[in-house]
Amino acid sequence: MYLLRSLSSTTARLGLAGLALGLTGCDTVVMKPHGDIAVQQAQLIVTSTLLMLLIIVPVIALTLFFAWRYRQSNTEATYTPDWDHSTRLELIIWGAPLLIIIALGAITWISTHKLDPYRPLDRIDAERPLPADVKPLVVQVVALDWKWLFLYPEQGIATVNELAAPVDRPIQFRITSSNVMNAFYVPALAGMVYAMPGMETKLHAVINKAGDYEGLSANYSGAGFSKMRFRFLGLSDADFDKWVASNREQGSKLDGGIYQQLEQPSEGDPVRRYGTVEAGLFGAIVNRCVDGQKMCMHQMMAIDAEGGTGKPGIAGLMRQPWRDEERLVVAGLCTPTNLLGEPLPTAKP
């Protein structure tokens, strides 16, 4: 019996030690990030938690107090079995939570607009406003199976599974996906934003400290999801220029054919660099017509806006191989003019 108690005690101590060790790992970059947007989001989490604890802690404390105060063995406690109402208690019980809910609602409403990922930044951090002459760095993000493609339209380069940006310069991410929904997430930088095929989502953020950070997909997307991670490098302006120059020197050309190879499912891909990028590639990815055989979505929408092609449009359908099967797509047979030969309005991608 003594041996069993000793083993039980030792197991409990080891369990507590393991729990404490695990909790030390909870001090992650999520609550101590290095990007202003992520810092504001962490502050929102702390503020909301403290407001909720104003109710949770007193309720737990009073529950324990009442259980102890009115235990059966305490004969000194007042016994009033016919008591059923107190206006003062009702005001406290309902008034305090109501005030907390109002405060949380106000904070949520303000933060939802202030931290809108589509909203351009108006500051570098809490102490520095955004200078009027600073242009954001534009990065086009494509979620593939199971890797990330980053295109830099101003620099004319692209990378796979490596992202870099200058410290204290706003970044404008334009995000899409090749076929399934993912979620672009760099915990040190900002909250996650979904990447969806045929759509473009946006995220504005800034990194305030140089470093090597981790990025990942925060939405399950299949077998290779766990390895769908990338490096995010926060660099000085000079180091970022060197990084761009290195990609230009070492990288090959990224065109539609290479992209279609990248689009094929693969896991644990190494970093790849492309020194030049085919013009309009990101727009073709968003509009799902990189192969050049089917109609782009914006062209199809322009035709639909004019009333469609009617029954003759059936002739423009074709079957196309996709993974282990085939799918029916609209071929690019009636663009940029419709079946009558009349010019169609051009919709922007």
Side-chain angles (χ1 to χ4, degrees), residues 45-326:
I45 293 173
V46 172
T47 302
S48 300
T49 302
L50 291 175
L51 282 172
M52 289 183 284
L53 287 176
L54 290 177
I55 294 298
I56 295 172
V57 171
V59 168
I60 293 175
L62 288 172
T63 300
L64 296 175
F65 172 75
F66 290 152
W68 174 81
R69 178 73 174 83
Y70 297 101
R71 65 193 186 278
Q72 185 177 5
S73 60
N74 185 15
T75 57
E76 297 180 0
T78 303
Y79 179 63
T80 53
D82 296 327
W83 179 89
D84 63 358
H85 178 74
S86 170
T87 302
R88 182 181 300 176
L89 283 178
E90 291 288 345
L91 289 173
I92 295 174
I93 291 171
W94 294 105
L98 181 60
L99 292 175
I100 298 299
I101 292 172
I102 292 172
L104 284 172
I107 291 173
T108 302
W109 188 88
I110 294 170
S111 300
T112 299
H113 292 277
K114 185 179 180 182
L115 300 177
D116 182 359
Y118 279 63
R119 179 181 178 181
L121 302 185
D122 56 5
R123 72 182 203 182
I124 299 298
D125 56 33
E127 300 177 353
R128 293 176 293 172
L130 181 67
D133 59 342
V134 173
K135 290 181 58 179
L137 172 70
V138 178
V139 181
Q140 298 165 338
V141 182
V142 183
L144 303 170
D145 287 339
W146 285 277
K147 49 197 168 287
W148 292 92
L149 173 64
F150 304 102
L151 301 97
Y152 291 76
E154 297 175 5
Q155 290 74 23
I157 63 171
T159 58
V160 171
N161 287 342
E162 185 174 280
L163 170 66
V167 172
D168 292 338
R169 180 177 174 183
I171 314 168
Q172 181 191 62
F173 293 103
R174 300 173 58 190
I175 306 167
T176 191
S177 176
S178 61
N179 51 58
V180 299
M181 187 168 72
N182 272 285
F184 175 75
Y185 185 32
V186 182
L189 184 68
M192 72 174 188
V193 172
Y194 283 112
M196 291 171 280
M199 297 179 63
E200 180 184 319
T201 53
K202 291 185 174 65
L203 172 65
H204 290 83
V206 62
I207 190 70
N208 300 123
K209 182 179 179 181
D212 190 338
Y213 306 103
E214 184 181 43
L216 63 147
S217 171
N219 188 80
Y220 182 74
S221 58
F225 162 76
S226 61
K227 295 182 180 179
M228 194 172 172
R229 297 172 180 268
F230 62 92
R231 295 175 65 197
F232 171 56
L233 305 175
L235 305 172
S236 65
D237 289 339
D239 287 340
F240 179 72
D241 291 339
K242 292 179 183 178
W243 181 83
V244 171
S246 175
N247 279 278
R248 285 175 178 161
E249 293 173 1
Q250 301 177 19
S252 56
K253 181 178 180 179
L254 177 62
D255 55 20
I258 298 298
Y259 171 79
Q260 290 179 73
Q261 296 176 18
L262 279 177
E263 199 176 23
Q264 300 304 311
S266 60
E267 300 179 28
D269 281 47
V271 175
R272 302 183 191 179
R273 307 182 190 280
Y274 301 94
T276 57
V277 179
E278 181 181 352
L281 179 60
F282 183 73
I285 295 171
V286 174
N287 286 282
R288 305 180 67 74
C289 56
V290 176
D291 59 8
Q293 297 180 2
K294 56 180 177 292
M295 187 185 299
C296 292
M297 287 177 55
H298 70 284
Q299 296 171 327
M300 192 182 305
M301 288 185 283
I303 293 174
D304 290 342
E306 292 298 306
T309 59
K311 188 175 180 179
I314 298 175
L317 299 178
M318 71 174 186
R319 291 192 173 275
Q320 185 182 65
W322 186 76
R323 300 289 173 86
D324 299 328
E325 54 187 21
E326 289 185 341

